[in-house]
Amino acid sequence: MQLWWYRRLSDSVVYISTAQNIHDHGAINDFSNMPVMDFPVFYPIFLSGIVFLTGKPALVFGPVLDGLLFGLVIWLCGWMMNRFSAYSRWYKWTVLLFIVLSPCLLEIYSMIWSETLFILLSVLFMIVAYRYFLTHSVRWLLAMGLIAALSCVTRYAGVSIIGLGGLLMLCDRGLRWGVKKIVHILVFGLVSVTLLALNLYRNMRVTHTLTGYREKGLTAFSDNLHDFGAVFCDWLPFSTGVMMPRLW
């Protein structure tokens, strides 16, 4: 558990130092002056943009930035629930209360992690995708592809958003099979993978690897299950100090 926590703290150090190096030297390098490979480049570029605007290091404005991002996520979730076909005030405030008091979200938004921006992009993707499926307009299609592209260069897990968008378009009954539907799917796929392809190309040019030199996944399933349970118990307010028993 402690090793996981130290690794997550090191993620913040990488993001902060990379943002400062981008601002000072125009190089996407971390504190060791090595190219950032394990993480996509958009979050440190995003931080460096705020460094440029504020003139303050990321460690200084980090708490304010996380508060603004978390507040925007909460507001957007409430905005979406206001537009449900069957609106319920009790349902809305209950869900928002769970979001505000979620231990995992509070943990994420207390660190300078790329998840803070990735969650916001995921919520924005749902809103934009909804608008696209209502209108099937090219404007919302491009917006949906752009948000998916930004999510991929915020976290590599953003490829799941591309897959989700493509699957929803395939299953969309509002747009029948034909040239228009095929073109829309191709346009979405092309726009959404462009930034990720550029990021991976840059990685290949720098270190001849797509996502850096990574350790092989040798952890046993039982260890992964134990670690998952330990983190989950740590999030529960009534189980502080409880450790998950191992399976052997």
Side-chain angles (χ1 to χ4, degrees), residues 234-246:
D234 185 61
W235 284 339
L236 298 177
F238 53 81
S239 61
T240 304
V242 176
M243 292 299 295
M244 288 291 294
R246 291 190 178 273

Side-chain angles (χ1 to χ4, degrees), residues 42-57:
F42 181 65
Y43 185 64
I45 292 176
F46 172 73
L47 292 178
S48 69
I50 302 180
V51 172
F52 176 80
L53 292 175
T54 63
K56 303 289 185 180

Side-chain angles (χ1 to χ4, degrees), residues 6 17 38 42 57 83 107-108 128-129 144 179 185-186 223:
Y6 290 142
S17 59
D38 293 342
F42 181 65
R83 284 152 180 80
E107 180 178 317
I108 287 172
V128 172
M144 188 170 68
V179 175
I185 293 175
L186 292 177
D223 290 333

Side-chain angles (χ1 to χ4, degrees), residues 31-230:
F31 59 91
S32 63
N33 205 32
M34 295 296 293
V36 173
M37 304 297 300
D38 293 342
F39 309 107
V41 299
F42 181 65
Y43 185 64
I45 292 176
F46 172 73
L47 292 178
S48 69
I50 302 180
V51 172
F52 176 80
L53 292 175
T54 63
K56 303 289 185 180
L59 193 59
V60 173
F61 63 73
V64 177
L65 175 64
D66 282 354
L68 291 174
L69 292 175
F70 193 27
L72 189 54
V73 168
I74 296 169
W75 182 82
L76 287 174
C77 290
W79 182 86
M80 285 192 294
M81 283 185 282
N82 281 339
R83 284 152 180 80
F84 283 176
S85 56
Y87 174 75
S88 170
R89 178 174 296 182
W90 287 107
Y91 175 82
K92 171 188 174 181
W93 288 108
T94 301
V95 173
L96 289 180
L97 185 64
F98 275 108
I99 294 175
V100 171
L101 299 180
S102 170
C104 52
L105 289 178
L106 291 175
E107 180 178 317
I108 287 172
Y109 283 96
S110 64
M111 292 287 181
I112 301 180
W113 289 345
S114 60
E115 287 92 335
T116 58
L117 184 59
F118 182 76
I119 293 172
L120 176 60
L121 290 172
S122 300
V123 175
L124 287 174
F125 179 82
M126 289 186 284
I127 295 173
V128 172
Y130 174 74
R131 296 301 303 174
Y132 165 74
F133 289 118
L134 280 180
T135 63
H136 295 106
S137 70
V138 176
R139 180 182 64 176
W140 289 111
L141 173 65
L142 294 177
M144 188 170 68
L146 177 60
I147 293 176
L150 291 176
S151 69
C152 285
V153 288
T154 301
R155 294 192 62 79
Y156 289 126
V159 295
S160 60
I161 293 182
I162 297 178
L164 173 63
L167 183 60
L168 290 175
M169 295 177 73
L170 284 172
C171 299
D172 180 22
R173 294 183 178 180
L175 188 61
R176 295 184 178 181
W177 274 103
V179 175
K180 183 177 180 180
K181 184 165 188 170
I182 295 174
V183 169
H184 278 208
I185 293 175
L186 292 177
V187 169
F188 171 76
L190 180 63
V191 173
S192 60
V193 302
T194 299
L195 295 180
L196 178 62
L198 291 174
N199 196 160
L200 296 179
Y201 174 73
R202 172 256 178 190
N203 293 350
M204 183 63 70
R205 286 289 303 272
V206 173
T207 63
H208 304 291
T209 65
L210 292 177
T211 58
Y213 302 100
R214 296 176 177 267
E215 297 179 2
K216 293 183 177 179
L218 302 177
T219 308
F221 173 76
S222 57
D223 290 333
N224 286 328
L225 192 61
H226 171 269
D227 292 341
F228 167 78

